[in-house]
Structure formats: C-alpha cells, structure tokens
Amino acid sequence: MVDVPQLVEQARQGRPRAVARLISLVEGAAPELREVMATLAPLTGGAYVVGLTGSPGVGKSTTTSALVTAYRKVGKRVGVLAVDPSSPFSGGALLGDRVRMSEHASDPGVYIRSMATRGHLGGLAWAAPQAIRVLDAAGCEVILVETVGVGQSEVEIASQADTSVVLLAPGMGDGIQAAKAGILEIGDVYVVNKADRDGADATARELNHMLGLGESRAPGDWRPPIVKTVAARGEGIDEVVEALEKHRAWMEEGGVLARRRLARAAREVETIAVTALRSRIGDLSGDRHLDALAERIVAGDTDPYRAADELVEGLTNGA
C-alpha cells in the first residue's frame, strides 16, 4: 500500500527516491494515480517549463546539460525529463540521455528522469504532463523537457511547454526539412547549435528568412530570436538563457503565459476523458451491443456513423 501524502511530502523535501516513485506511479497508471494528482494539485504552478526539440543529432542532450549548468549557477532547482524512443521490438528504450547528463547525477539540486515514449507519437511520452506536475510539486523551478528526435509532425512539445526551443545544426539539411515541417511554427526560441561548423551562418540566415516569410506580427508580438551555440563547449548558452527569460517576461506581461497554461490544462482534461472513453469502448469488445451494431452495419440496416452515435449515447448514459 502506497502512502501517497507521505510520498508527496518526501518529494517536497527533495528526496530523489520519492520523486522517482511518484513518476513511476504515473508511468504505470497505478491505482493510486488519482490520489497522487489530487494531492499534487495545490502544490503546482510554480515551475517554468522549457521544451527542447529538433532533429536527431542536433545536440539536444548536450544543450539540455549545458542549460542545467547555467541554471544551477544561479541557484535554481532543475528537473529534466528526457524522452527516448521505445524499441518497436522489445518496448524498451536506450535512455541514453541519462548517460549524457551524468555530470549532474550527484547534484541534489537536479533531478533527471528518462522516459520512454512507449509507442506514443508526437515526440513525448504519454505520461509527460503528469510527470511535469510531479517535478513542479517537488520544487523544481525550471523543468527542461527534451523530446525524441522529431520529424515533420512530432511537435507535441509546443502544447506542453511554456517556452519551446527548436534546435538546428548546419550541414544536416535542417533548413529544407524545417520548411516542410511544423517545427518552424512552434518555436519561441531557435538555436543553431554546432556553430563552429561550416555553414552555421548560412543556416541562421536561411532560418531568419523562413521565419520572416508570411510573417504577420502585430506591434508587441514576440519575434523568435535565433541564437548560435556550441553547446559542447558551453558557448552561447548564456544567450539562450537570456532569450528564455525575455520570452518568459514577455508572456507574463501580456498574459500569454496564463493563457498557455489554461489551454494546457484543458488539453490534459480532454486527453484523460478521451482515454477513459476509449477504455470503456475497449471493454465492449465482444459485447453483444457492439456485435449487434456491427451486424446491422453489415446487413445494411444502419451506417457506421449512426452506430457510433448509438454507442456513444450508451456509454455517456452509463449503459
């Protein structure tokens, strides 16, 4: 039996094992999950959530590690959620980000957790929103969420972070790819990493050009800055932190931060509700009612939409 209040209190005291246990309850959708979320609810809302995304190989983990170092220098407690892709064969994940950030492992002011996507698309693990709540309640002032290497549509981080950072690198075809992708629409801050390589200036210019195409910003709107870094040497990281803090201040001043968090909460509720309904529909597999609807469709007595309406009505009425 899990003593949730005690576990939450220990997490508030900064005990890593308690934080790990809470996130494990979240990932495993444990029976205690509802109690955990209810207990955490009044303790959240203080953390600044920064999402880092980009193609594989642009240096997301190195940049994340460098940002941890920068925030720790000013005394902030930092939480890191590093999402790794799951194997389609074993269902496991390499969790290599944990290895790459090992320099922070002994720092009590840093909590690093690797999470597997477990088949969830969008570049994030399905349990990420609840895991963010755990780190928030545990006293992390800044939470860095590093996604898996994204493609053209895996841009879910924009709906989970206060500020989204998109990383690119020269010589990787990122400019052309990003033009097709949705990632040019989600970034609040753009980082051209590995800026010591040939082509870094050209990549930054091309990115700046693309951001200007079709731009229709009103006076006072946020213009995403482009920062060049060499994260492996810590170069340009202070400028990234400065850009993040400017974006945060702009959001707070204009009420954007509150609106983003409101939308995020609404999406979270919607996701939980849809998941619950999907689970109830799954329980109907082999159920006589569902079988009867299927037989009527095959016989031509009804159509799939009417059958679906009838099924939903039965579910919502508790049938």
Side-chain angles (χ1 to χ4, degrees), residues 86-167:
S86 299
S87 165
F89 302 103
S90 66
L94 178 60
L95 307 182
D97 295 309
R98 192 72 175 266
V99 176
R100 289 190 284 270
M101 292 183 229
S102 57
E103 62 183 284
H104 304 293
S106 60
D107 186 344
V110 179
Y111 182 86
I112 301 171
R113 175 75 173 220
S114 289
M115 301 179 72
T117 57
R118 299 185 180 180
H120 182 79
L121 299 178
L124 287 181
W126 75 270
Q130 286 76 36
I132 290 171
R133 286 181 180 277
V134 171
L135 293 178
D136 187 355
C140 292
E141 296 164 272
V142 178
I143 300 173
L144 304 175
V145 184
E146 178 197 334
T147 74
V148 300
V150 297
Q152 291 187 28
S153 61
E154 293 164 315
V155 292
E156 191 179 340
I157 187 60
S159 67
Q160 298 298 337
D162 296 324
T163 299
S164 296
V165 179
V166 175
L167 282 88

Side-chain angles (χ1 to χ4, degrees), residues 232-255:
R233 299 202 294 260
E235 297 175 10
I237 297 300
D238 288 342
E239 286 79 2
V240 175
V241 172
E242 182 181 354
L244 292 174
E245 292 305 315
K246 283 183 178 178
H247 184 246
R248 183 180 187 178
W250 173 81
M251 288 192 297
E252 290 176 340
E253 183 180 347

Side-chain angles (χ1 to χ4, degrees), residues 290-303:
L290 187 57
D291 287 346
L293 289 172
E295 289 173 2
R296 286 167 57 195
I297 292 171
V298 173
D301 295 332
T302 189
D303 63 84

Side-chain angles (χ1 to χ4, degrees), residues 58-81:
V58 296
K60 292 189 297 296
S61 297
T62 307
T63 301
T64 301
S65 181
L67 285 173
V68 171
T69 300
Y71 278 116
R72 288 300 293 145
K73 281 182 180 177
V74 294
K76 291 187 181 293
R77 290 189 64 189
V78 183
V80 178
L81 284 181

Side-chain angles (χ1 to χ4, degrees), residues 152-291:
Q152 291 187 28
S153 61
E154 293 164 315
V155 292
E156 191 179 340
I157 187 60
S159 67
Q160 298 298 337
D162 296 324
T163 299
S164 296
V165 179
V166 175
L167 282 88
L168 301 96
M172 300 186 68
D174 280 303
I176 297 173
Q177 185 68 12
K180 296 190 301 179
I183 61 172
L184 279 187
E185 299 172 5
I186 68 165
D188 298 306
V189 175
Y190 289 88
V191 173
V192 178
N193 191 32
K194 305 181 181 180
D196 53 342
R197 289 184 178 182
D198 291 338
D201 291 337
T203 299
R205 283 196 303 271
E206 184 179 2
L207 178 58
N208 186 55
H209 174 67
M210 289 181 180
L211 289 173
L213 289 176
E215 192 176 72
S216 57
R217 291 188 174 87
D221 282 356
W222 177 255
R223 163 79 184 189
I226 300 170
V227 183
K228 289 188 287 187
T229 64
V230 184
R233 299 202 294 260
E235 297 175 10
I237 297 300
D238 288 342
E239 286 79 2
V240 175
V241 172
E242 182 181 354
L244 292 174
E245 292 305 315
K246 283 183 178 178
H247 184 246
R248 183 180 187 178
W250 173 81
M251 288 192 297
E252 290 176 340
E253 183 180 347
V256 177
L257 184 59
R259 290 197 296 272
R260 285 192 176 190
R261 290 181 173 179
L262 189 65
R264 192 159 77 214
R267 276 189 295 267
E268 191 174 356
V269 171
E270 181 183 351
T271 299
I272 293 171
V274 170
T275 301
L277 283 173
R278 186 178 293 123
S279 176
R280 290 181 63 182
I281 291 173
D283 291 340
L284 291 176
S285 297
D287 181 88
R288 288 183 179 180
H289 184 47
L290 187 57
D291 287 346

